[in-house]
Amino acid sequence: MTDLLDRLERYYDAVPRSAARAEAFGPLSLFVREGEGWPYYARPTLGWTGAPVTVADVERVRARQRELGVPESFEWVAETAPELRAAVEGSGLPVHGHPLMVLDPDAPVLTSTARVVGADDPALAEALAVAYLSFAEPGTAIGTAGPDELAAMTAQLTADGTAARIAGRIRDGLTVVAAAFGPDGNALCGGQHQPVGPVSELVGIGTLPSARRQGLGYAVTAALVADARARGVETVFLSAGDQDVARIYGRVGFRPVGTALIAD
């Protein structure tokens, strides 16, 4: 288990570096995006052997995040940095736990009705939009956002350059997008994985709220896993939103290995 968590720590340190620079704060590293895109977070410094993290360390990072105008956000794994939670909470930030899950190497290959969406696919912006709408209405219950909201969000992600940015990452081999589609051809669920060498994390898997409870998240997850395996990825992992979502991933072959913690 220690070797597995070490592998994930190296991945967590590597994956933001394709679009961000790392600023050192002793036991913490703050990833600062270069250009447009996702505002990154702070996390434990890889390989740190100095003094344990303190509330003062966390507050120094938070002050820098405020200076940069980015969210005051921290992400880490409870089992590899057990002292960080007390320091973060001591600074006044709430901490949320999420099941950290890794795909069983012996899990069977599953067929899927979802497909990978390429950089030049007209459905790319829509495949991204469903996840944005899903996270705006978290949970697994059927929600309110439907086709009208999907059209509006698709237009927004096209206009603000988000779709073009992700298309660039697809071309560079940094991101893979998959989506499940309805009978009318509209995307109903989308998600991504981000390979770095032999490791990849599944992220941003979300279903259009009005289309939930049709097995679409399962289909997209299966498609992403199949793609990762075809690329030679040996370790596929994810952080589930809650235990209900974790049970869905368990059906695909993921097993819990720890707890991912997020503070913001």
Side-chain angles (χ1 to χ4, degrees):
M1 183 66 73
T2 299
D3 288 345
L4 173 61
L5 293 178
D6 286 346
R7 197 179 316 146
L8 297 188
E9 283 300 305
R10 291 192 295 272
Y11 175 91
Y12 280 129
D13 182 77
V15 73
R17 295 178 184 270
S18 64
R21 69 179 187 273
E23 295 188 0
F25 291 83
L28 297 170
S29 293
L30 172 61
F31 291 98
V32 181
R33 71 184 179 197
E34 302 281 9
E36 298 299 319
W38 180 260
Y40 287 99
Y41 40 75
R43 60 172 300 101
T45 297
L46 185 67
W48 176 256
T49 57
V53 65
T54 65
V55 173
D57 293 320
V58 173
E59 290 180 342
R60 285 174 56 220
V61 173
R62 293 184 64 187
R64 176 60 172 153
Q65 289 170 322
R66 289 193 295 272
E67 179 184 350
L68 293 167
V70 299
E72 297 173 46
S73 176
F74 296 75
E75 297 188 10
W76 72 101
V77 176
E79 289 74 13
T80 55
E83 74 288 345
L84 183 51
R85 180 165 195 159
V88 169
E89 290 180 333
S91 79
L93 283 179
V95 176
H96 308 280
H98 304 273
L100 180 65
M101 309 180 75
V102 171
L103 183 69
D104 188 330
D106 298 322
V109 176
L110 302 173
T111 57
S112 175
T113 55
R115 65 173 176 84
V116 169
V117 178
D120 299 316
D121 194 313
L124 177 60
E126 197 173 68
L128 301 173
V130 287
Y132 277 80
L133 294 170
S134 178
F135 295 129
E137 290 187 54
T140 58
I142 295 174
T144 58
D148 291 344
E149 290 79 7
L150 178 58
M153 181 59 70
T154 300
Q156 177 181 325
L157 298 183
T158 301
D160 68 12
T162 297
R165 178 175 57 82
I166 298 299
R169 289 183 59 85
I170 293 172
R171 293 188 185 97
D172 291 340
L174 301 171
T175 296
V176 177
V177 175
F181 297 85
D184 59 1
N186 288 339
L188 296 179
C189 181
Q192 305 174 30
H193 80 88
Q194 303 184 93
V196 177
V199 182
S200 191
E201 181 181 17
L202 273 58
V203 297
I205 299 173
T207 300
L208 186 68
S210 64
R212 287 175 177 155
R213 297 192 173 179
Q214 299 182 49
L216 300 173
Y218 177 96
V220 168
T221 301
L224 292 170
V225 166
D227 182 88
R229 283 178 157 174
R231 293 170 183 265
V233 171
E234 299 170 3
T235 303
V236 183
F237 76 103
L238 55 82
S239 298
D242 54 35
Q243 292 297 337
D244 289 338
V245 176
R247 281 189 283 272
I248 296 173
Y249 292 128
R251 291 166 48 204
V252 187
F254 285 85
R255 56 183 176 83
V257 296
T259 303
L261 297 177
I262 299 175
D264 55 25

